[in-house]
């Protein structure tokens, strides 16, 4: 499983390279054995002028990878490169995570019809599954309705059926070996929609961290002087009061309630609970949340309410509180019970 926002950002940076009259390649991690910085499906962009966007290894391999990407872009030919970070040579000298990585480098041209269609689907913000034939560099998309987009004549029906099945359940991209070819199946999922109710100063680091953690953030606050692009460049701005919005337009959203005005928080809770929410976090003591729920005729069984919001990290400053809040959001999103990684053998397990 990969996040749609990462693919969108990579494609935008590829387009920026074309605008500079440079060549560009998508670099994907397609296989991991042992430990690695990122999971299969991770993507980044490399351009012929040396510009990069994203990361595969956190910085350990990117410089070497660029040399391989240069070769691929010069010849306009895809290639696969392997790294064994457990070897007692250069990559084993304290570098990396001691795993074995398969990296796929795919040069993309501006007139490539498949990636033009892929970008159109990405812009719609809809889920889909990408099938990439690593043996040929050809791609196929299965959209949310099950339609096939791209070259499917040489993709075995078993691969297509598996790709359909994992669209909603896949946790990491996976490789399928069939009929002498290798197919990467990568379910691309839209970012979770997070609504931050309240555009106070303490909301600024929450929006910033949440957006960087992959959430699609909307700031809900009617005050235009507070809720604007200048203060929240990584979020969208909904300049309305809670009672002015239709809960049906935010079905399945995540909510952080932090207006600092109890009446506004109560109205926000009413709207959030009607939106079939995935998560509702309320800033402040549990006694305050209990009082607000009683006022609106609800209780903690009315929805997925988290109060007080955040993990117990000893946070005090606005930035620390934001880190506490976004840490809990990530834990809930990933189905994890927060705990130290110390002593854990498999980090991503």
């Amino acid at each position: 499983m990969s996040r749609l926002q990462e693919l969108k950002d990579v494609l935008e940076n590829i387009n920026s390279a074309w605008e500079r009259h440079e060549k560009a390649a998508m670099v994907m991690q397609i296989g991991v054995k042992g430990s690695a910085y990122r999971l299969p499906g991770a993507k980044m962009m490399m351009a012929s002028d040396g510009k990069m966007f994203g990361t595969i290894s956190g910085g350990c391999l990117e410089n070497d990878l660029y040399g391989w990407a240069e070769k691929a872009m010069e010849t306009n030919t895809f290639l696969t490169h392997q790294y064994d970070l457990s070897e007692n040579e250069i990559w084993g000298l304290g570098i990396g995570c001691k795993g074995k990585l398969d990296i796929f480098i795919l040069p993309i041209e501006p007139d490539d019809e498949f990636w033009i269609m892929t970008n159109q689907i990405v812009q719609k913000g809809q889920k889909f599954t990408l099938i990439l034939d690593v043996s040929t560099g050809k791609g196929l998309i299965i959209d949310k309705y099950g339609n096939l987009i791209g070259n499917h004549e040489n993709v075995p029906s078993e691969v297509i059926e598996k790709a359909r099945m994992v669209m909603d359940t896949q946790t990491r991209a996976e490789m399928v070996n069939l009929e002498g070819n290798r197919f990467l199946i990568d379910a691309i999922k839209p970012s979770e929609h997070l609504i931050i109710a309240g555009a106070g100063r303490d909301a600024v680091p929450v929006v910033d961290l949440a957006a960087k953690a992959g959430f699609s953030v909307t700031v809900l606050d009617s005050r235009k002087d507070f809720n604007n692009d200048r203060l929240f460049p990584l979020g969208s701005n909904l300049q309305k009061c809670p009672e002015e919005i239709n809960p049906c337009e935010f079905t399945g959203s995540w909510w952080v309630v932090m207006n600092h005005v109890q009446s506004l928080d109560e109205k926000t809770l009413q709207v959030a609970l009607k939106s079939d929410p995935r998560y509702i976090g309320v800033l402040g003591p549990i006694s305050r949340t209990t009082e607000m729920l009683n006022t609106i005729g609800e209780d903690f069984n009315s929805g997925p309410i988290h109060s007080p919001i955040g993990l117990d990290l000893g946070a005090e400053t606005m930035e620390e509180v934001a880190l506490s809040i976004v840490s809990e959001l990530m834990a809930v999103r990933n189905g994890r019970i927060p705990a130290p990684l110390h002593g854990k053998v498999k980090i991503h397990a």
Side-chain angles (χ1 to χ4, degrees):
M1 184 274 290
S2 297
R3 299 201 176 279
L4 184 143
Q5 188 63 47
E6 180 176 57
L7 178 56
K8 182 179 180 180
D9 291 341
V10 166
L11 291 175
E12 286 178 354
N13 278 270
I14 287 175
N15 186 68
S16 294
W18 293 337
E19 291 176 350
R20 300 193 304 270
H21 305 289
E22 300 290 342
K23 295 182 178 180
M26 183 181 297
V27 181
M28 299 178 62
Q29 185 161 290
I30 61 173
V32 172
K33 291 183 179 179
S35 297
Y37 188 83
R38 298 195 62 192
L39 296 172
K43 302 171 185 68
M44 68 176 298
M45 182 282 306
M46 292 184 173
S48 55
D49 58 359
K51 296 288 181 65
M52 301 183 194
F53 174 83
T55 186
I56 294 293
S57 72
C60 301
L61 304 177
E62 275 72 9
N63 287 340
D64 186 77
L65 261 175
Y66 183 73
W68 294 98
E70 275 189 312
K71 295 178 181 179
M73 288 184 285
E74 287 171 359
T75 60
N76 196 30
T77 305
F78 66 91
L79 62 86
T80 303
H81 187 66
Q82 290 81 33
Y83 289 98
D84 186 347
L85 304 182
S86 64
E87 292 177 347
N88 291 320
E89 296 178 2
I90 183 170
W91 301 117
L93 300 178
I95 299 176
C97 302
K98 306 297 184 183
K100 297 181 179 179
L101 282 60
D102 282 353
I103 309 294
F104 187 67
I105 303 173
L106 179 66
I108 300 178
E109 294 290 328
D111 59 354
D112 189 313
E113 291 186 7
F114 174 74
W115 288 105
I116 291 173
M117 291 187 292
T118 299
N119 190 49
Q120 291 171 348
I121 295 173
V122 166
Q123 296 304 319
K124 295 178 181 179
Q126 298 175 348
K127 66 180 180 180
F128 64 92
T129 302
L130 170 67
I131 301 175
L132 196 60
D133 187 342
V134 179
S135 307
T136 65
K138 300 294 184 181
L140 173 66
I141 280 178
I142 302 177
D143 69 13
K144 61 179 294 187
Y145 306 106
N147 300 316
L148 302 180
I149 301 171
N151 178 36
H152 60 86
E153 295 178 357
N154 297 319
V155 180
S157 58
E158 297 93 328
V159 175
I160 293 175
E161 185 57 30
K162 182 175 180 61
R164 283 197 172 106
M165 291 176 59
V166 303
M167 185 177 295
D168 293 316
T169 60
Q170 189 184 67
T171 58
R172 64 191 68 183
E174 55 189 303
M175 190 68 69
V176 175
N177 297 298
L178 198 64
E179 299 180 7
N181 290 341
R182 301 169 68 203
F183 299 92
L184 180 74
I185 298 178
D186 189 11
I188 310 291
K189 296 183 181 179
S191 297
E192 293 79 5
H193 188 195
L194 173 66
I195 300 167
I196 308 291
R201 289 182 61 201
D202 58 344
V204 173
V206 178
V207 172
D208 182 67
L209 280 176
K212 291 176 179 177
F215 289 89
S216 176
V217 185
T218 295
V219 182
L220 172 63
D221 194 309
S222 61
R223 300 173 297 174
K224 296 181 180 180
D225 289 340
F226 290 81
N227 187 12
N228 53 61
D229 292 338
R230 182 179 61 84
L231 294 174
F232 298 101
L234 298 184
S236 59
N237 312 107
L238 184 57
Q239 297 168 339
K240 293 183 177 182
C241 296
E243 62 269 27
E244 294 177 322
I245 67 174
N246 182 357
C248 297
E249 295 179 3
F250 301 95
T251 300
S253 292
W254 299 53
W255 295 74
V256 173
V257 182
M258 51 188 306
N259 290 290
H260 297 288
V261 177
Q262 186 156 327
S263 60
L264 278 176
D265 283 347
E266 290 170 354
K267 293 174 181 178
T268 301
L269 278 170
Q270 287 179 308
V271 175
L273 287 168
K274 294 176 182 178
S275 69
D276 191 20
R278 291 280 307 281
Y279 171 100
I280 300 174
V282 186
L283 189 69
I286 192 170
S287 58
R288 179 176 181 270
T289 302
T290 301
E291 181 181 338
M292 291 192 295
L293 289 171
N294 288 337
T295 299
I296 65 175
E298 304 286 357
D299 57 38
F300 281 97
N301 294 319
S302 300
I305 301 170
H306 296 246
S307 175
I309 190 174
L311 300 185
D312 187 359
L313 304 178
E316 182 178 351
T317 67
M318 291 190 301
E319 290 77 15
E320 291 172 343
V321 171
L323 182 59
S324 168
I325 291 173
V326 177
S327 294
E328 182 180 56
L329 291 171
M330 290 178 60
V332 174
R333 179 179 67 184
N334 297 324
R336 299 297 181 94
I337 299 175
L341 286 171
H342 174 69
K344 192 172 182 180
V345 177
K346 293 185 178 181
I347 295 175
H348 293 298

